[in-house]
Amino acid sequence: MTEEIRRAGGNATPVVADATAAADVKRLFDAAAERAGAPVLVVYNAGNNRFRPLLEMDDAFFEDLWRLCCFGGFLTGREAARRMLPAGGTLVFTGATASIRARPPFTAFASAKAALRALAHGMAREFGPQGLHVGHVIIDGGIDGARLNRRFPQFKEARGEDGMLGIEAIADAYWHLHTQHRSAWTLELDLRPFKEAF
Amino acid sequence: MTEEIRRAGGNATPVVADATAAADVKRLFDAAAERAGAPVLVVYNAGNNRFRPLLEMDDAFFEDLWRLCCFGGFLTGREAARRMLPAGGTLVFTGATASIRARPPFTAFASAKAALRALAHGMAREFGPQGLHVGHVIIDGGIDGARLNRRFPQFKEARGEDGMLGIEAIADAYWHLHTQHRSAWTLELDLRPFKEAF
Amino acid sequence: MTEEIRRAGGNATPVVADATAAADVKRLFDAAAERAGAPVLVVYNAGNNRFRPLLEMDDAFFEDLWRLCCFGGFLTGREAARRMLPAGGTLVFTGATASIRARPPFTAFASAKAALRALAHGMAREFGPQGLHVGHVIIDGGIDGARLNRRFPQFKEARGEDGMLGIEAIADAYWHLHTQHRSAWTLELDLRPFKEAF
Amino acid sequence: MTEEIRRAGGNATPVVADATAAADVKRLFDAAAERAGAPVLVVYNAGNNRFRPLLEMDDAFFEDLWRLCCFGGFLTGREAARRMLPAGGTLVFTGATASIRARPPFTAFASAKAALRALAHGMAREFGPQGLHVGHVIIDGGIDGARLNRRFPQFKEARGEDGMLGIEAIADAYWHLHTQHRSAWTLELDLRPFKEAF
């Protein structure tokens, strides 16, 4: 991906870090600061959707989902805000259908995503008046990217044309959040394919 | 406003109509069709915020708010959909804080706005798969326009810089909805000044 | 039903009234007052669930549902509050799944029920501190009563034991609302059969 | 408290356990089983409301709140369900205003409480059809108990008569959940003093 960005005239540096480890998250932001100064747009997009009947969830299964979906978002949001204030900027968290609806066997995932959403709402209320725009985007549907298409190659065809969320289309929405005038900021929006049942 | 649009190189024709009268709404869409063909972007923006203690509301007060905020939206949405399908397009309804929170003395307004919101959600689910993008925008704050500024001239100063929603900023969000790729449509987003407490 | 109540040692007087006509609603409350004084528990339970694709809804279809589901609730709530304040009492509105989720072909019904719900929430905030307990009960499922069982006799069997909401079980919840101590009042609760998918 | 219950003719055994440690929670349920067999009503009521500006939250502050408010609920709910199924019973989680509204400086608490609420909703959907009634009670206001009254002795007087949630009144609602007929179960209800602004 770095290569792709560069070929298109952009500039990118990949940094490998564990989003759930505070030291790693700090190191990531420090590395970014060295190359490009304070961040202006930060997206927390981690969060694997895993599922299991509740009685078969061991402690680690439940905790790990929270750690990845929510705690990493807390670490990232806190470190981002520390570096972005008072200049301001945009901080977006990626949500899911499960953020607002808990359905088995996704209960642990839904719990973690609901925790992330509340975190985003609280940060929006706290940091907005200081000039930091916090957004939360609810992705409702399958994303037309390498991960899903590799694991479920038949899914894309079954969905039909534009039946999965296009990555560029998602990026457009995030970019719109980033470019909104501060007199009319959006905290939350949902994104889904036009043909999605919901 | 028509003059302004024309001076800027655009094209606009004002039509006076009663949004709560089915015949008027049909006439409006027919007039638009004559000049410009089927609509591609329709916004239902009517809805005066009026308030009163509940025991002082007479029947007409409660009904009129529903008629303007919700029934006009039904008429407009239905006539728009009849003309926009199957080609598709965008249909946006303007909501308010009251759409999701009913506080006295705004109970009648909140009831009407909640009715409009449910209408928009139902239409989104029904028409989305047919290619018509239905959106609902929750405006949470005072709009920096002629109406509010004339009635409460001191409000703008009290709010400070960018403390009221800019009209162009609102339009940007509506335009973003209209230009979204159909693989990632938004049904609902909120808009508020960065300094708004909520 | 009156007979049943009397045989059980109770006392009941049926009054026929059009819930959507202000004069009728007033007459109803006056008749009740003559027999029994000011009301202490009032339930607004009207609201037929009708459905239709949106493009086939004529104006009257959309308006009639609002008139029955919401406007009648406004008239009833207002007349009840006028007679119950300042002594206090309980006023309960019956909601439905559609109150919080608008799905075609139930869009008109959902719009009307969302309007009723907002009305109930606004009244709760306005009248609660004056001693009038306003509640809103979301019935999520089929009710095991004469209406549904006559129209869809096969439904009850298909649902299995306790798969439809028992009328006494619903009444228990309403009674619980009525008997709550004012230091811990419930505004909203949902009711559904244990086996209902939601 | 044990003494009080015994004097009133009841039977109670206190067990000290760390709700956030799986082994302790298991031990607690085993101890209860020894004395009284499988549980029929379990309430998860832990969860201290602590607050802090987000930039001053260290990792442990954020994590500890989740561990107490949500993870302990997961452990308790899982161990309870293992022992209550297939006989059934009632499992209630205590929520707060913050469960549905994240306001600084309560962001960490709100995130944890939102996570608990989603857990409760997911468990309700998973276990309900198996006969286990899961409920979530949103407590919106100050509780008239020893903890709050000791820390803020002036609060009770400032609130006035019945301005704080009575503990017996709360218990009544939990008991109502437990005694509901399975054809009409409540998943969620809110409780607040009649004079609470919300």
Side-chain angles (χ1 to χ4, degrees), chain B residues 57-185:
Chain B
M57 288 183 195
D58 56 29
D59 303 0
F61 181 90
F62 191 80
E63 178 169 338
D64 287 354
L65 272 173
W66 172 78
R67 213 162 272 289
L68 181 57
C69 293
C70 176
F71 188 62
F74 163 70
L75 295 175
T76 300
R78 187 186 61 190
E79 296 311 313
R82 281 179 175 162
R83 287 156 175 86
M84 295 167 89
L85 292 174
T90 308
L91 172 58
V92 187
F93 296 92
T94 299
T97 319
S99 305
I100 51 175
R101 184 157 288 259
R103 284 221 170 93
F106 300 101
T107 299
F109 180 65
S111 173
K113 279 298 202 183
L116 178 70
R117 181 177 183 245
L119 170 69
H121 283 227
M123 292 179 78
R125 288 186 169 99
E126 184 163 355
F127 296 137
Q130 302 177 48
L132 179 55
H133 181 186
V134 180
H136 182 254
V137 178
I138 294 178
I139 306 279
D140 186 16
I143 296 177
D144 188 9
R147 184 156 51 172
L148 204 51
N149 289 331
R150 245 192 314 245
R151 284 182 61 194
F152 305 103
Q154 73 293 358
F155 184 64
K156 185 170 178 170
E157 202 185 324
R159 294 287 303 165
E161 199 186 345
D162 296 329
M164 299 175 74
L165 291 117
I167 287 178
E168 302 233 342
I170 296 175
D172 269 353
Y174 283 62
W175 188 251
H176 174 66
L177 288 179
H178 180 53
T179 57
Q180 284 183 322
H181 188 262
R182 68 175 186 166
S183 82
W185 275 354

Side-chain angles (χ1 to χ4, degrees), chain D residues 108-129:
Chain D
F109 180 65
S111 173
K113 279 296 201 184
L116 178 70
R117 180 177 184 245
L119 171 69
H121 283 228
M123 292 180 77
R125 289 186 168 99
E126 185 162 355
F127 296 136

Side-chain angles (χ1 to χ4, degrees), chain A residues 101 103 198, chain C residues 101 103 198:
Chain A
R101 184 157 288 258
R103 284 221 171 92
F198 68 102
Chain C
R101 184 157 288 258
R103 284 223 170 92
F198 67 102

Side-chain angles (χ1 to χ4, degrees), chain C residues 121 124-125 127-131 161-167 169-170 172-174 176 179-196 198, chain D residues 121 124-125 127-131 161-167 169-170 172-174 176 179-196 198:
Chain C
H121 283 228
R125 290 185 167 99
F127 296 136
Q130 301 176 48
E161 199 185 346
D162 295 329
M164 299 176 74
L165 292 117
I167 287 179
I170 296 175
D172 269 351
Y174 283 62
H176 174 66
T179 55
Q180 285 183 319
H181 188 261
R182 68 175 186 165
S183 82
W185 275 354
T186 293
L187 162 52
E188 191 161 274
L189 58 80
D190 51 304
L191 291 176
R192 68 176 59 78
F194 74 106
K195 56 172 70 166
E196 188 80 19
F198 67 102
Chain D
H121 283 228
R125 289 186 168 99
F127 296 136
Q130 301 176 48
E161 198 185 346
D162 296 328
M164 298 176 75
L165 291 117
I167 286 178
I170 296 175
D172 268 352
Y174 283 62
H176 173 66
T179 57
Q180 284 184 321
H181 188 261
R182 68 176 186 165
S183 82
W185 275 354
T186 293
L187 162 53
E188 191 160 274
L189 58 80
D190 51 304
L191 291 176
R192 68 176 59 78
F194 74 106
K195 57 173 69 167
E196 189 79 19
F198 68 102

Side-chain angles (χ1 to χ4, degrees), chain D residues 54-84:
Chain D
L54 205 127
L55 293 187
E56 293 168 23
M57 288 180 193
D58 56 27
D59 302 0
F61 181 89
F62 191 82
E63 179 169 338
D64 287 354
L65 272 172
W66 172 79
R67 213 163 273 289
L68 181 56
C69 294
C70 176
F71 189 62
F74 163 70
L75 295 175
T76 300
R78 187 187 61 191
E79 296 311 313
R82 282 179 174 160
R83 287 158 175 84
M84 295 167 88

Side-chain angles (χ1 to χ4, degrees), chain C residues 41-103:
Chain C
L41 168 58
V42 172
V43 176
Y44 189 74
N45 196 48
N48 287 322
N49 185 346
R50 297 175 60 198
F51 53 91
R52 196 171 287 184
L54 205 127
L55 295 187
E56 294 169 22
M57 288 181 193
D58 56 27
D59 302 1
F61 181 90
F62 191 82
E63 179 169 338
D64 287 354
L65 272 172
W66 173 78
R67 213 163 273 290
L68 181 57
C69 294
C70 176
F71 188 62
F74 163 70
L75 295 174
T76 301
R78 187 187 61 191
E79 295 312 313
R82 281 180 174 159
R83 287 157 175 85
M84 296 167 88
L85 292 174
T90 308
L91 171 58
V92 187
F93 296 92
T94 299
T97 321
S99 304
I100 51 173
R101 184 157 288 258
R103 284 223 170 92

